[in-house]
Amino acid sequence: MRRCTIPAIFFACISSFSGVAFAATPQTFLTLNSQPGDYIGQGVTQTFTPSDGTFFVSNRSDTVSISFNTATYSQFWYLDFGTATTAKFGYGEYDGAQRTAFRSPTRPGIDVSGDGRGCNADTGRFLVSDFALNTDGAIGRFAIDFEQHCEGATPALYGSFRYNSAVPAIPRLAVASTYTLKGNAGTSDALVTLSLCLPSTTIVQVAYATVDGSAIQGTDYVSTTGTATFQPGITSQTITIPVIGDFLARGNKTFKVKLSAASGAPIGASSANVLIRDPNVVLTALAMSSQPGDYVGQGLQYLITLSDGTFTPSNSGNVVSFFINNGDDWWTYFAGPTAARLGRGDYENAQRYPFQPVGTPGLSVYGDGRGCNTLTGNFQVQQAGYNSSSVLQSFSANFEQHCEGFVPALFGWLRYKTKLQQFSVTDAVISGSSALFTVTLSPSNATSLSVNFATADGTAMAGTDYVSTSQTVIFSPGMTQQTVTVPLLNPGINSKTFYGDLSAPVGAAVWIGRGSATF
């Protein structure tokens, strides 16, 4: 084992090993480069080879597991990497990873632990540069570089694992597939992460450009090109691509982001898809707005789509339920007051399912380890479609839940293969000394609905760069669009950004809750 005692000489360690890594003969090794403050690696850099102990590699269709231990188990490490459970493991960049065993089925997984230390929650990314199976299905070659943040903390554990692979352990550029939300007017931000699989000691640059897929530039998104620069030690950059909004039901579309003309590091994954989710078509989603003091929602706003997790419906008798797995796990239960199959209607004075009295509607929404002992509330079923075997085919319900009978509420909108009425906010249009945000409602409503708007600091600060603004945006019957004006202070001097946020919706869900203003 080669061991460096401080991260600053990580590259010296790699250099001493790089002659083997670059050799034509495939190699097997594990390198761990832990930043100060990283709990798992304890701020130390280590490299292990077969001369130091035993490696074991196993795989399922969506997961690769690696273990290493010395002969006396004085040191031992476990690594688990996973793709979305519907995808087979293979080449490419995987961003937005969660802890493997508890990840959303739609997300990649990462979990590196060892020497008795592990994370309760992980975030990170990894790049697979070499992957091949033997005829018996076992892994024949494998090359992966990764970045893990334990408990979401800033210090990182970087690492490289090679198994019978000649791919060198060097920084490589990559872009990963992601998704974004379409608004109903103006533009909204698609955020795409460009990354280096390992830190570099020198400046790295790469050009990027959007390419049409089913999404067409000028109609669905704004064509975007540029150059991303990675300063030494920086491993990720976020680029922003404007997505064009309208009230039309165009359907979900995709475009690509491609990398080229790299300097300072080779490209490991050169292109990725960006999915645009359209809110004006039939969809599946859970949106929730939790008031301050609500125990289950913790005063936060939630939007879970099919890009974030899976929705598993179940119905029996007068009960419709959903299990929503986005890595946190949410359950929703709706029960009618009689034995009749749950159908359209307003269900008032609901109590906690399955403990509600006979003749009383049942309701229970809980998740992320939080639930109510008792609750009161109501729900409205707008659509409940069943097939000839009485199996649920579509469902639409709005609900209001009060945990333990307290005043703060959890409001929610559950849609399963139905349409969602929603609020969105656009990026601001700069006009002279004002930033103009557009707030939309789609579709319009027969009665008044409302949502709160408030500015939030970014690089631009309230009172110095812009005037802090908050108001309730009211949509009268038939109205679909409103403008919020934010005064700017000293516009045009430096490029700065602040945000306009939506909260506390009344009558409809929040789809895009943040717009940006750059001036």
Side-chain angles (χ1 to χ4, degrees), residues 69-119:
N69 62 269
T70 58
T72 61
Y73 281 86
S74 59
Q75 291 182 287
F76 51 91
W77 291 90
Y78 304 97
L79 302 87
D80 290 295
F81 301 98
T83 65
T85 56
T86 55
K88 289 185 177 181
F89 208 97
Y91 291 86
E93 171 75 359
Y94 298 86
D95 198 19
Q98 300 172 332
R99 185 180 172 191
T100 305
F102 304 101
R103 72 190 187 277
S104 163
T106 65
R107 301 278 289 275
I110 186 171
D111 192 359
V112 181
S113 61
D115 287 355
R117 297 181 298 275
C119 306

Short mmCIF file of all heavy atoms in Angstrom, two decimals, residues 69-119:
data_model
loop_
_atom_site.label_atom_id
_atom_site.label_comp_id
_atom_site.label_asym_id
_atom_site.label_seq_id
_atom_site.Cartn_x
_atom_site.Cartn_y
_atom_site.Cartn_z
N ASN A 69 -10.01 -5.91 1.60
CA ASN A 69 -9.55 -6.07 2.97
C ASN A 69 -8.12 -6.59 2.99
O ASN A 69 -7.69 -7.32 2.09
CB ASN A 69 -10.45 -7.05 3.75
CG ASN A 69 -10.46 -8.44 3.17
OD1 ASN A 69 -11.30 -8.75 2.31
ND2 ASN A 69 -9.55 -9.31 3.63
N THR A 70 -7.37 -6.14 3.99
CA THR A 70 -6.05 -6.70 4.21
C THR A 70 -6.20 -8.09 4.82
O THR A 70 -7.31 -8.48 5.26
CB THR A 70 -5.23 -5.81 5.15
OG1 THR A 70 -5.95 -5.66 6.39
CG2 THR A 70 -5.02 -4.42 4.55
N ALA A 71 -5.13 -8.83 4.89
CA ALA A 71 -5.20 -10.22 5.37
C ALA A 71 -5.73 -10.30 6.79
O ALA A 71 -6.44 -11.25 7.15
CB ALA A 71 -3.83 -10.87 5.27
N THR A 72 -5.42 -9.31 7.61
CA THR A 72 -5.83 -9.32 9.02
C THR A 72 -7.07 -8.45 9.26
O THR A 72 -7.47 -8.26 10.40
CB THR A 72 -4.69 -8.81 9.91
OG1 THR A 72 -4.39 -7.45 9.53
CG2 THR A 72 -3.45 -9.69 9.75
N TYR A 73 -7.63 -7.91 8.20
CA TYR A 73 -8.76 -6.97 8.30
C TYR A 73 -8.40 -5.73 9.12
O TYR A 73 -9.28 -5.08 9.70
CB TYR A 73 -10.00 -7.66 8.87
CG TYR A 73 -10.74 -8.49 7.86
CD1 TYR A 73 -10.37 -9.82 7.62
CD2 TYR A 73 -11.78 -7.97 7.11
CE1 TYR A 73 -11.02 -10.60 6.67
CE2 TYR A 73 -12.45 -8.73 6.16
CZ TYR A 73 -12.05 -10.04 5.94
OH TYR A 73 -12.70 -10.80 5.00
N SER A 74 -7.12 -5.39 9.13
CA SER A 74 -6.73 -4.14 9.77
C SER A 74 -7.27 -2.95 8.99
O SER A 74 -7.45 -1.86 9.54
CB SER A 74 -5.21 -4.05 9.87
OG SER A 74 -4.61 -4.13 8.58
N GLN A 75 -7.51 -3.15 7.69
CA GLN A 75 -8.18 -2.16 6.85
C GLN A 75 -9.16 -2.89 5.94
O GLN A 75 -8.85 -3.96 5.41
CB GLN A 75 -7.17 -1.37 6.02
CG GLN A 75 -6.30 -0.43 6.86
CD GLN A 75 -5.36 0.37 5.98
OE1 GLN A 75 -4.39 -0.16 5.47
NE2 GLN A 75 -5.66 1.65 5.83
N PHE A 76 -10.33 -2.30 5.79
CA PHE A 76 -11.35 -2.90 4.93
C PHE A 76 -12.25 -1.80 4.38
O PHE A 76 -12.57 -0.84 5.07
CB PHE A 76 -12.18 -3.95 5.70
CG PHE A 76 -12.74 -3.45 7.00
CD1 PHE A 76 -14.01 -2.88 7.06
CD2 PHE A 76 -12.01 -3.55 8.18
CE1 PHE A 76 -14.54 -2.42 8.25
CE2 PHE A 76 -12.53 -3.09 9.38
CZ PHE A 76 -13.80 -2.53 9.42
N TRP A 77 -12.62 -1.96 3.12
CA TRP A 77 -13.42 -0.95 2.43
C TRP A 77 -14.53 -1.62 1.62
O TRP A 77 -14.34 -2.72 1.10
CB TRP A 77 -12.54 -0.10 1.50
CG TRP A 77 -11.62 0.77 2.30
CD1 TRP A 77 -10.35 0.46 2.73
CD2 TRP A 77 -11.91 2.07 2.80
NE1 TRP A 77 -9.83 1.48 3.48
CE2 TRP A 77 -10.76 2.50 3.54
CE3 TRP A 77 -13.00 2.92 2.71
CZ2 TRP A 77 -10.71 3.73 4.16
CZ3 TRP A 77 -12.94 4.15 3.33
CH2 TRP A 77 -11.81 4.55 4.04
N TYR A 78 -15.66 -0.90 1.52
CA TYR A 78 -16.81 -1.38 0.75
C TYR A 78 -17.30 -0.24 -0.14
O TYR A 78 -17.46 0.89 0.32
CB TYR A 78 -17.94 -1.84 1.67
CG TYR A 78 -17.53 -2.89 2.66
CD1 TYR A 78 -17.18 -2.55 3.96
CD2 TYR A 78 -17.46 -4.24 2.29
CE1 TYR A 78 -16.79 -3.52 4.88
CE2 TYR A 78 -17.07 -5.21 3.20
CZ TYR A 78 -16.72 -4.85 4.49
OH TYR A 78 -16.32 -5.81 5.38
N LEU A 79 -17.53 -0.54 -1.39
CA LEU A 79 -18.00 0.45 -2.35
C LEU A 79 -19.18 -0.12 -3.12
O LEU A 79 -19.10 -1.24 -3.64
CB LEU A 79 -16.89 0.83 -3.34
CG LEU A 79 -15.58 1.40 -2.78
CD1 LEU A 79 -14.62 0.28 -2.41
CD2 LEU A 79 -14.93 2.33 -3.80
N ASP A 80 -20.28 0.64 -3.16
CA ASP A 80 -21.47 0.23 -3.90
C ASP A 80 -21.90 1.37 -4.83
O ASP A 80 -22.11 2.50 -4.36
CB ASP A 80 -22.63 -0.10 -2.96
CG ASP A 80 -22.39 -1.37 -2.17
OD1 ASP A 80 -22.32 -2.44 -2.79
OD2 ASP A 80 -22.27 -1.29 -0.94
N PHE A 81 -22.00 1.06 -6.11
CA PHE A 81 -22.42 2.04 -7.10
C PHE A 81 -23.62 1.49 -7.86
O PHE A 81 -23.64 0.32 -8.23
CB PHE A 81 -21.28 2.33 -8.09
CG PHE A 81 -20.04 2.85 -7.44
CD1 PHE A 81 -18.99 2.00 -7.16
CD2 PHE A 81 -19.92 4.19 -7.10
CE1 PHE A 81 -17.83 2.47 -6.55
CE2 PHE A 81 -18.77 4.67 -6.49
CZ PHE A 81 -17.72 3.80 -6.21
N GLY A 82 -24.61 2.35 -8.09
CA GLY A 82 -25.81 1.89 -8.78
C GLY A 82 -26.29 2.89 -9.81
O GLY A 82 -26.08 4.10 -9.68
N THR A 83 -26.96 2.40 -10.84
CA THR A 83 -27.66 3.25 -11.79
C THR A 83 -29.13 3.32 -11.37
O THR A 83 -29.53 2.73 -10.37
CB THR A 83 -27.56 2.67 -13.21
OG1 THR A 83 -28.27 1.41 -13.24
CG2 THR A 83 -26.12 2.42 -13.60
N ALA A 84 -29.92 4.07 -12.12
CA ALA A 84 -31.37 3.97 -11.93
C ALA A 84 -31.77 2.51 -12.09
O ALA A 84 -31.20 1.79 -12.91
CB ALA A 84 -32.09 4.84 -12.96
N THR A 85 -32.72 2.06 -11.28
CA THR A 85 -33.03 0.63 -11.25
C THR A 85 -33.62 0.12 -12.56
O THR A 85 -33.67 -1.09 -12.78
CB THR A 85 -34.00 0.32 -10.10
OG1 THR A 85 -35.18 1.13 -10.23
CG2 THR A 85 -33.35 0.61 -8.76
N THR A 86 -34.05 1.03 -13.44
CA THR A 86 -34.58 0.60 -14.73
C THR A 86 -33.49 0.57 -15.81
O THR A 86 -33.76 0.21 -16.95
CB THR A 86 -35.69 1.55 -15.19
OG1 THR A 86 -35.19 2.89 -15.20
CG2 THR A 86 -36.89 1.46 -14.26
N ALA A 87 -32.26 0.96 -15.44
CA ALA A 87 -31.16 1.01 -16.41
C ALA A 87 -30.08 0.00 -16.05
O ALA A 87 -29.83 -0.26 -14.86
CB ALA A 87 -30.56 2.41 -16.45
N LYS A 88 -29.44 -0.55 -17.04
CA LYS A 88 -28.33 -1.45 -16.80
C LYS A 88 -27.06 -0.64 -16.56
O LYS A 88 -26.86 0.43 -17.12
CB LYS A 88 -28.12 -2.39 -18.00
CG LYS A 88 -29.21 -3.44 -18.14
CD LYS A 88 -28.87 -4.41 -19.26
CE LYS A 88 -29.92 -5.51 -19.36
NZ LYS A 88 -29.60 -6.49 -20.44
N PHE A 89 -26.19 -1.18 -15.71
CA PHE A 89 -24.93 -0.52 -15.42
C PHE A 89 -24.08 -0.45 -16.68
O PHE A 89 -24.02 -1.41 -17.45
CB PHE A 89 -24.18 -1.30 -14.34
CG PHE A 89 -23.27 -0.44 -13.51
CD1 PHE A 89 -23.68 0.04 -12.28
CD2 PHE A 89 -22.00 -0.10 -13.95
CE1 PHE A 89 -22.85 0.83 -11.51
CE2 PHE A 89 -21.16 0.69 -13.20
CZ PHE A 89 -21.58 1.16 -11.98
N GLY A 90 -23.44 0.69 -16.92
CA GLY A 90 -22.62 0.81 -18.12
C GLY A 90 -21.82 2.09 -18.13
O GLY A 90 -21.74 2.82 -17.13
N TYR A 91 -21.21 2.38 -19.28
CA TYR A 91 -20.37 3.56 -19.43
C TYR A 91 -21.17 4.84 -19.20
O TYR A 91 -22.37 4.90 -19.47
CB TYR A 91 -19.80 3.61 -20.85
CG TYR A 91 -18.77 2.55 -21.17
CD1 TYR A 91 -19.16 1.30 -21.62
CD2 TYR A 91 -17.41 2.81 -21.03
CE1 TYR A 91 -18.23 0.33 -21.94
CE2 TYR A 91 -16.47 1.83 -21.35
CZ TYR A 91 -16.88 0.60 -21.79
OH TYR A 91 -15.96 -0.37 -22.10
N GLY A 92 -20.47 5.89 -18.73
CA GLY A 92 -21.10 7.20 -18.67
C GLY A 92 -20.90 7.90 -17.34
O GLY A 92 -20.33 7.36 -16.39
N GLU A 93 -21.40 9.14 -17.32
CA GLU A 93 -21.35 9.97 -16.12
C GLU A 93 -22.68 9.86 -15.39
O GLU A 93 -23.76 9.95 -15.99
CB GLU A 93 -21.10 11.43 -16.52
CG GLU A 93 -21.24 12.44 -15.40
CD GLU A 93 -20.09 12.44 -14.41
OE1 GLU A 93 -19.16 11.63 -14.58
OE2 GLU A 93 -20.12 13.25 -13.46
N TYR A 94 -22.62 9.68 -14.09
CA TYR A 94 -23.81 9.54 -13.24
C TYR A 94 -23.74 10.63 -12.16
O TYR A 94 -22.88 10.59 -11.28
CB TYR A 94 -23.87 8.16 -12.60
CG TYR A 94 -23.97 7.03 -13.61
CD1 TYR A 94 -22.84 6.47 -14.21
CD2 TYR A 94 -25.21 6.53 -13.99
CE1 TYR A 94 -22.93 5.45 -15.13
CE2 TYR A 94 -25.33 5.50 -14.92
CZ TYR A 94 -24.18 4.97 -15.48
OH TYR A 94 -24.28 3.95 -16.41
N ASP A 95 -24.64 11.59 -12.26
CA ASP A 95 -24.64 12.73 -11.33
C ASP A 95 -25.86 12.66 -10.44
O ASP A 95 -26.85 12.00 -10.75
CB ASP A 95 -24.62 14.03 -12.13
CG ASP A 95 -24.20 15.22 -11.29
OD1 ASP A 95 -23.59 15.01 -10.23
OD2 ASP A 95 -24.47 16.37 -11.71
N GLY A 96 -25.83 13.38 -9.31
CA GLY A 96 -26.97 13.43 -8.39
C GLY A 96 -27.20 12.13 -7.67
O GLY A 96 -28.33 11.78 -7.33
N ALA A 97 -26.11 11.39 -7.37
CA ALA A 97 -26.25 10.08 -6.72
C ALA A 97 -26.66 10.23 -5.26
O ALA A 97 -26.28 11.18 -4.58
CB ALA A 97 -24.94 9.30 -6.82
N GLN A 98 -27.44 9.28 -4.79
CA GLN A 98 -27.83 9.16 -3.39
C GLN A 98 -27.23 7.87 -2.82
O GLN A 98 -26.68 7.06 -3.57
CB GLN A 98 -29.36 9.11 -3.27
CG GLN A 98 -30.07 10.32 -3.82
CD GLN A 98 -31.59 10.15 -3.84
OE1 GLN A 98 -32.10 9.04 -3.96
NE2 GLN A 98 -32.31 11.25 -3.76
N ARG A 99 -27.35 7.69 -1.51
CA ARG A 99 -26.82 6.47 -0.91
C ARG A 99 -27.46 5.25 -1.58
O ARG A 99 -28.69 5.14 -1.64
CB ARG A 99 -27.06 6.46 0.60
CG ARG A 99 -26.41 5.26 1.28
CD ARG A 99 -26.66 5.28 2.77
NE ARG A 99 -26.19 4.03 3.37
CZ ARG A 99 -26.46 3.64 4.61
NH1 ARG A 99 -27.20 4.42 5.40
NH2 ARG A 99 -26.00 2.50 5.05
N THR A 100 -26.64 4.32 -2.02
CA THR A 100 -27.08 3.28 -2.94
C THR A 100 -28.28 2.49 -2.43
O THR A 100 -29.27 2.30 -3.14
CB THR A 100 -25.92 2.31 -3.23
OG1 THR A 100 -24.80 3.06 -3.72
CG2 THR A 100 -26.32 1.29 -4.27
N ALA A 101 -28.22 2.01 -1.20
CA ALA A 101 -29.28 1.13 -0.69
C ALA A 101 -30.60 1.86 -0.53
O ALA A 101 -31.66 1.22 -0.50
CB ALA A 101 -28.86 0.51 0.63
N PHE A 102 -30.57 3.19 -0.42
CA PHE A 102 -31.78 3.96 -0.12
C PHE A 102 -32.09 4.99 -1.20
O PHE A 102 -32.86 5.91 -0.97
CB PHE A 102 -31.63 4.65 1.23
CG PHE A 102 -31.32 3.71 2.35
CD1 PHE A 102 -30.02 3.58 2.82
CD2 PHE A 102 -32.31 2.93 2.92
CE1 PHE A 102 -29.73 2.70 3.85
CE2 PHE A 102 -32.03 2.04 3.94
CZ PHE A 102 -30.72 1.92 4.41
N ARG A 103 -31.50 4.82 -2.39
CA ARG A 103 -31.70 5.81 -3.45
C ARG A 103 -33.09 5.69 -4.06
O ARG A 103 -33.74 4.66 -3.97
CB ARG A 103 -30.64 5.61 -4.54
CG ARG A 103 -30.81 4.37 -5.41
CD ARG A 103 -29.58 4.17 -6.28
NE ARG A 103 -29.69 3.12 -7.28
CZ ARG A 103 -29.49 1.84 -7.07
NH1 ARG A 103 -29.21 1.40 -5.85
NH2 ARG A 103 -29.56 0.97 -8.07
N SER A 104 -33.50 6.77 -4.67
CA SER A 104 -34.70 6.71 -5.50
C SER A 104 -34.43 5.76 -6.66
O SER A 104 -33.31 5.72 -7.19
CB SER A 104 -35.02 8.11 -6.05
OG SER A 104 -35.91 8.02 -7.15
N PRO A 105 -35.43 5.00 -7.10
CA PRO A 105 -35.23 4.11 -8.25
C PRO A 105 -34.85 4.85 -9.53
O PRO A 105 -34.37 4.23 -10.48
CB PRO A 105 -36.60 3.43 -8.40
CG PRO A 105 -37.21 3.48 -7.05
CD PRO A 105 -36.76 4.80 -6.48
N THR A 106 -35.06 6.17 -9.57
CA THR A 106 -34.73 6.95 -10.75
C THR A 106 -33.35 7.58 -10.68
O THR A 106 -32.94 8.26 -11.63
CB THR A 106 -35.76 8.07 -10.96
OG1 THR A 106 -35.68 8.99 -9.86
CG2 THR A 106 -37.17 7.51 -11.05
N ARG A 107 -32.63 7.39 -9.58
CA ARG A 107 -31.36 8.07 -9.36
C ARG A 107 -30.21 7.08 -9.27
O ARG A 107 -30.40 5.93 -8.89
CB ARG A 107 -31.42 8.87 -8.06
CG ARG A 107 -32.51 9.92 -8.00
CD ARG A 107 -32.11 11.19 -8.69
NE ARG A 107 -31.10 11.90 -7.96
CZ ARG A 107 -31.36 12.76 -6.94
NH1 ARG A 107 -32.61 12.97 -6.56
NH2 ARG A 107 -30.38 13.38 -6.34
N PRO A 108 -28.96 7.53 -9.57
CA PRO A 108 -27.80 6.68 -9.34
C PRO A 108 -27.50 6.58 -7.85
O PRO A 108 -27.99 7.39 -7.05
CB PRO A 108 -26.68 7.40 -10.10
CG PRO A 108 -27.11 8.82 -10.18
CD PRO A 108 -28.61 8.80 -10.23
N GLY A 109 -26.68 5.59 -7.49
CA GLY A 109 -26.35 5.38 -6.10
C GLY A 109 -24.85 5.34 -5.88
O GLY A 109 -24.09 4.87 -6.73
N ILE A 110 -24.42 5.85 -4.71
CA ILE A 110 -23.02 5.81 -4.31
C ILE A 110 -22.95 5.55 -2.82
O ILE A 110 -23.75 6.09 -2.05
CB ILE A 110 -22.29 7.13 -4.68
CG1 ILE A 110 -20.79 7.03 -4.38
CG2 ILE A 110 -22.90 8.31 -3.95
CD1 ILE A 110 -20.00 8.22 -4.93
N ASP A 111 -22.05 4.69 -2.41
CA ASP A 111 -21.85 4.43 -0.99
C ASP A 111 -20.46 3.84 -0.79
O ASP A 111 -20.20 2.69 -1.11
CB ASP A 111 -22.91 3.46 -0.46
CG ASP A 111 -22.91 3.40 1.07
OD1 ASP A 111 -22.08 4.09 1.70
OD2 ASP A 111 -23.76 2.66 1.62
N VAL A 112 -19.55 4.67 -0.30
CA VAL A 112 -18.19 4.24 0.00
C VAL A 112 -17.99 4.31 1.50
O VAL A 112 -18.17 5.38 2.10
CB VAL A 112 -17.15 5.12 -0.73
CG1 VAL A 112 -15.73 4.64 -0.42
CG2 VAL A 112 -17.40 5.12 -2.23
N SER A 113 -17.67 3.19 2.11
CA SER A 113 -17.48 3.13 3.55
C SER A 113 -16.29 2.23 3.85
O SER A 113 -15.83 1.48 2.99
CB SER A 113 -18.74 2.58 4.24
OG SER A 113 -19.03 1.27 3.78
N GLY A 114 -15.80 2.31 5.08
CA GLY A 114 -14.69 1.44 5.42
C GLY A 114 -14.06 1.76 6.75
O GLY A 114 -14.30 2.83 7.33
N ASP A 115 -13.27 0.81 7.23
CA ASP A 115 -12.59 0.94 8.52
C ASP A 115 -13.56 1.33 9.63
O ASP A 115 -13.23 2.12 10.53
CB ASP A 115 -11.46 1.97 8.43
CG ASP A 115 -10.24 1.44 7.65
OD1 ASP A 115 -10.27 0.26 7.27
OD2 ASP A 115 -9.29 2.21 7.43
N GLY A 116 -14.80 0.81 9.54
CA GLY A 116 -15.80 1.05 10.57
C GLY A 116 -16.55 2.34 10.45
O GLY A 116 -17.35 2.68 11.33
N ARG A 117 -16.36 3.09 9.35
CA ARG A 117 -17.03 4.37 9.18
C ARG A 117 -17.94 4.34 7.95
O ARG A 117 -17.53 3.89 6.87
CB ARG A 117 -16.00 5.50 9.02
CG ARG A 117 -15.11 5.71 10.24
CD ARG A 117 -14.14 6.86 10.03
NE ARG A 117 -13.23 6.60 8.90
CZ ARG A 117 -12.10 5.91 8.99
NH1 ARG A 117 -11.74 5.38 10.16
NH2 ARG A 117 -11.32 5.75 7.94
N GLY A 118 -19.16 4.85 8.10
CA GLY A 118 -20.11 4.91 7.01
C GLY A 118 -20.98 6.14 7.12
O GLY A 118 -21.01 6.81 8.16
N CYS A 119 -21.70 6.46 6.06
CA CYS A 119 -22.58 7.64 6.01
C CYS A 119 -24.03 7.21 6.19
O CYS A 119 -24.45 6.16 5.70
CB CYS A 119 -22.44 8.35 4.67
SG CYS A 119 -20.77 8.80 4.19
#
